[in-house]
């Protein structure tokens, strides 16, 4: 398997613009997680899905953030409108129900909002 | 609410030293504990995963232990090399309730191994 795939790898946008980050989990994994990493706050869980259903979105910072998982092989994280404080690295991870639940991370999307 | 703390925040050692990274967690109701490595500007690579029923896991020069009752895990790196320089993160996977499946991360230990 190719692992967790994220796109784009880098995104530079102006304040106020809409940003869409994409993730393809590992085939067969039924959990999908979105994280954000900054120097100040470290790694934070934003939202996670199980079988395409959002389970916990308590980490989503505000209404400007939304996430969807229309099918088992694709998820999006959208920021509208974007702000400079949203600049961070956004990671997607997936795992599979079972004995281990090991999470596998994608390479991340580095977002810069100017 | 689970909280994970890593000590020290940064560590600089000469090549060849054996070293220990510490991780503590406040809620012992965990499913497993994972140790990750992150190189600058890169994603997270899983190093070791210890299930709640296990005491330790080993991979090459790495050994991770888990003491659920005391809320502690350690990552032992033997004969450190400059290539081990990276940030090491531990993360606890919560079990039960509404937090099931949720990883809580520590802030990481930045390790520098100098030749």
């Amino acid at each position: 398997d190719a692992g967790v795939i994220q796109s784009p790898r880098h995104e530079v946008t102006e304040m106020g613009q809409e940003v869409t980050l994409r993730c393809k989990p590992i085939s067969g994994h039924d959990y999908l997680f979105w994280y954000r990493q900054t120097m100040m706050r470290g790694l934070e869980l934003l939202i996670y899905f199980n079988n395409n259903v959002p389970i916990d979105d308590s980490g989503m910072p505000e209404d400007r953030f939304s996430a969807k998982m229309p099918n088992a092989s694709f998820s999006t994280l959208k920021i509208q409108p974007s702000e400079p404080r949203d600049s961070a690295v956004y990671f997607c991870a997936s795992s599979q129900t079972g004995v281990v639940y090991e999470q596998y991370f994608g390479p991340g999307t580095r977002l810069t909002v100017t | 609410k689970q909280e994970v703390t890593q000590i020290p925040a940064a560590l600089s050692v000469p090549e060849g030293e054996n070293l220990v990274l510490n991780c503590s967690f406040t809620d012992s109701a965990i499913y497993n504990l994972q140790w990750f490595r992150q190189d600058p500007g890169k994603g997270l690579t899983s190093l070791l995963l210890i299930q709640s029923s296990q005491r330790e896991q080993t991979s090459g020069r790495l050994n991770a232990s888990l003491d659920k009752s005391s809320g502690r895990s350690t990552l032992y790196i033997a004969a450190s090399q400059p290539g081990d320089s990276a940030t090491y993160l531990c993360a606890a996977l919560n079990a039960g309730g509404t937090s099931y499946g949720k990883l809580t991360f520590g802030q990481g230990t930045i390790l520098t191994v100098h030749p």
Side-chain angles (χ1 to χ4, degrees):
Chain A
D1 201 310
V4 177
I5 299 172
Q6 290 187 247
S7 64
R9 295 293 311 278
H10 301 273
E11 177 81 33
V12 180
T13 190
E14 292 183 349
M15 181 174 63
Q17 297 298 306
E18 178 180 293
V19 175
T20 299
L21 310 181
R22 297 172 176 79
C23 175
K24 176 179 168 55
I26 293 173
S27 177
H29 283 193
D30 55 341
Y31 280 90
L32 184 138
F33 306 82
W34 282 102
Y35 294 88
R36 178 173 68 176
Q37 186 177 40
T38 60
M39 288 293 292
M40 289 296 295
R41 301 174 67 92
L43 260 167
E44 302 173 281
L45 177 66
L46 300 177
I47 185 171
Y48 76 98
F49 297 83
N50 180 223
N51 291 322
N52 313 337
V53 175
I55 302 301
D56 185 346
D57 65 354
S58 59
M60 296 285 262
E62 47 198 277
D63 292 345
R64 297 184 297 107
F65 285 69
S66 63
K68 293 182 179 180
M69 192 164 186
N71 58 61
S73 59
F74 183 66
S75 177
T76 59
L77 177 68
K78 187 175 294 187
I79 308 172
Q80 165 64 18
S82 57
E83 296 182 3
R85 59 194 169 115
D86 301 331
S87 297
V89 181
Y90 291 80
F91 289 103
C92 176
S94 69
S95 68
Q96 184 175 29
T97 297
V99 178
V100 178
Y101 286 92
E102 185 169 6
Q103 288 194 19
Y104 295 85
F105 280 70
T109 295
R110 182 172 297 275
L111 173 65
T112 303
V113 183
T114 60
Chain B
K1 179 186 172 186
Q2 178 73 276
E3 292 181 4
V4 178
T5 304
Q6 290 186 247
I7 296 173
L11 183 62
S12 181
V13 299
E15 182 177 6
E17 271 205 8
N18 302 324
L19 54 99
V20 175
L21 307 182
N22 296 292
C23 172
S24 62
F25 45 95
T26 56
D27 185 350
S28 62
I30 63 170
Y31 198 83
N32 65 43
L33 189 130
Q34 259 182 284
W35 283 93
F36 293 87
R37 169 183 173 139
Q38 186 175 29
D39 293 288
K42 303 292 186 181
L44 278 70
T45 301
S46 181
L47 296 173
L48 289 165
L49 181 149
I50 313 174
Q51 296 178 54
S52 61
S53 59
Q54 298 175 324
R55 296 285 291 183
E56 65 178 335
Q57 281 288 325
T58 298
S59 175
R61 294 182 294 109
L62 305 180
N63 175 276
S65 67
L66 175 64
D67 184 342
K68 264 185 61 174
S69 60
S70 67
R72 292 178 186 173
S73 177
T74 60
L75 179 67
Y76 176 82
I77 303 177
S80 59
Q81 302 170 358
D84 295 330
S85 299
T87 298
Y88 290 80
L89 295 144
C90 75
L93 185 70
N94 298 339
T98 58
S99 299
Y100 192 69
K102 199 172 167 177
L103 263 181
T104 304
F105 280 85
Q107 288 290 82
T109 294
I110 302 171
L111 172 65
T112 303
V113 181
H114 47 88

